[in-house]
Amino acid sequence: MFTGIVEEIGTVLAVFDGKIVIEASKVLEQKALSGASIAVNGVCLTVADSSFGKFTADVMPETLRRTNLGKLSAGSRVNLERAMAADGRFGGHIVSGHIDGMGTVESLTAEGNAVWLTVSCPQELLRFILPRGSIAVDGVSLTAAKVGDSYFKVSLIPHTRQETTLLNHKAGDTVNLETDIIGKYVQRLMICGNCAQNQSESKQKLSYEFLIENGF
């Protein structure tokens, strides 16, 4: 589990044969790192191997298809965060590292000391994004300030711009999106509850007359 607070920006050294090699320092401070989880642009990856100043992780074809990791190459910059320690602080929000889908950067517009980032995304993701609710963009915990019919806007403060890769994006770039996990569970429970209610109502409608009418 992560919190969406990026610890450092890493640099991709290589992408080959289902593996990604990333140069980093802070996220490699742990001695026994093999098998640990690191979020790369919000995608939870498992460290397969590490050495001084870099680590290697396996990336499945499905992950490459469903996230922007498939667009990375040597020299790409990525947001990195280690899994949250049990005694750590929740500086952001609950982030699982399981990407729901990708959005497209529409624009970056300066306003005072902030920059508005506008991202368009599919309706199946947008329904989980609420005004002033949490959204992880490339692994960065942000607050959706505005939500439209096909887009949402977040305001990037100077610290976020300096400590993440978000400001490096341009219109047309894809970003990884993970919506609020609480909202997804609530929707799932509502669907299951409605299904159970419908099944219960169907059983209640079953009668001798119903069986006769339907040839039983």
Side-chain angles (χ1 to χ4, degrees):
M1 185 174 68
F2 308 91
T3 69
I5 302 300
V6 173
E7 295 187 87
E8 70 172 311
I9 297 175
T11 301
V12 175
L13 298 178
V15 180
F16 64 96
D17 297 333
K19 296 182 181 297
I20 184 170
V21 184
I22 298 174
E23 181 182 45
S25 57
K26 187 170 184 178
V27 298
L28 299 177
E29 290 175 350
Q30 298 168 319
K31 292 182 179 179
L33 195 64
S34 180
S37 296
I38 293 181
V40 179
N41 276 0
V43 183
C44 179
L45 298 180
T46 300
V47 175
D49 182 50
S50 66
S51 57
F52 182 76
K54 65 180 180 180
F55 70 91
T56 301
D58 296 308
V59 187
M60 297 181 295
E62 178 72 355
T63 301
L64 295 175
R65 284 191 296 267
R66 290 188 172 274
T67 73
N68 63 13
L69 297 191
K71 300 180 183 298
L72 298 178
S73 58
S76 296
R77 307 271 277 168
V78 289
N79 297 319
L80 301 177
E81 180 191 357
R82 287 170 291 186
M84 179 184 174
D87 60 349
R89 286 193 177 95
F90 264 114
H93 69 282
I94 300 174
V95 178
S96 68
H98 303 156
I99 302 301
D100 293 307
M102 288 186 285
T104 302
V105 174
E106 296 296 325
S107 64
L108 288 133
T109 308
E111 183 185 38
N113 69 338
V115 172
W116 283 104
L117 170 63
T118 303
V119 179
S120 62
C121 66
Q123 285 295 324
E124 59 263 29
L125 299 185
L126 199 63
R127 63 179 174 168
F128 292 113
I129 304 174
L130 306 175
R132 293 166 296 285
S134 297
I135 177 72
V137 180
D138 271 356
V140 183
S141 175
L142 297 168
T143 300
K146 300 179 181 178
V147 180
D149 294 334
S150 60
Y151 69 90
F152 67 90
K153 290 176 177 280
V154 292
S155 184
L156 307 179
I157 61 174
H159 179 81
T160 302
R161 302 199 300 271
Q162 293 166 7
E163 301 298 326
T164 75
T165 64
L166 293 181
L167 205 62
N168 297 338
H169 286 301
K170 59 183 183 300
D173 287 350
T174 57
V175 288
N176 296 325
L177 301 178
E178 182 184 333
T179 57
D180 187 7
I181 192 170
I182 296 175
K184 287 181 285 190
Y185 275 114
V186 169
Q187 191 218 32
R188 178 61 178 169
L189 289 171
M190 290 178 65
I191 291 175
C192 290
N194 289 335
C195 290
Q197 182 178 358
N198 291 337
Q199 290 175 358
S200 176
E201 290 175 353
S202 295
K203 290 179 181 179
Q204 290 175 2
K205 292 178 181 178
L206 185 62
S207 64
Y208 181 78
E209 291 75 16
F210 175 85
L211 294 174
I212 295 295
E213 291 175 1
N214 288 275
F216 290 97

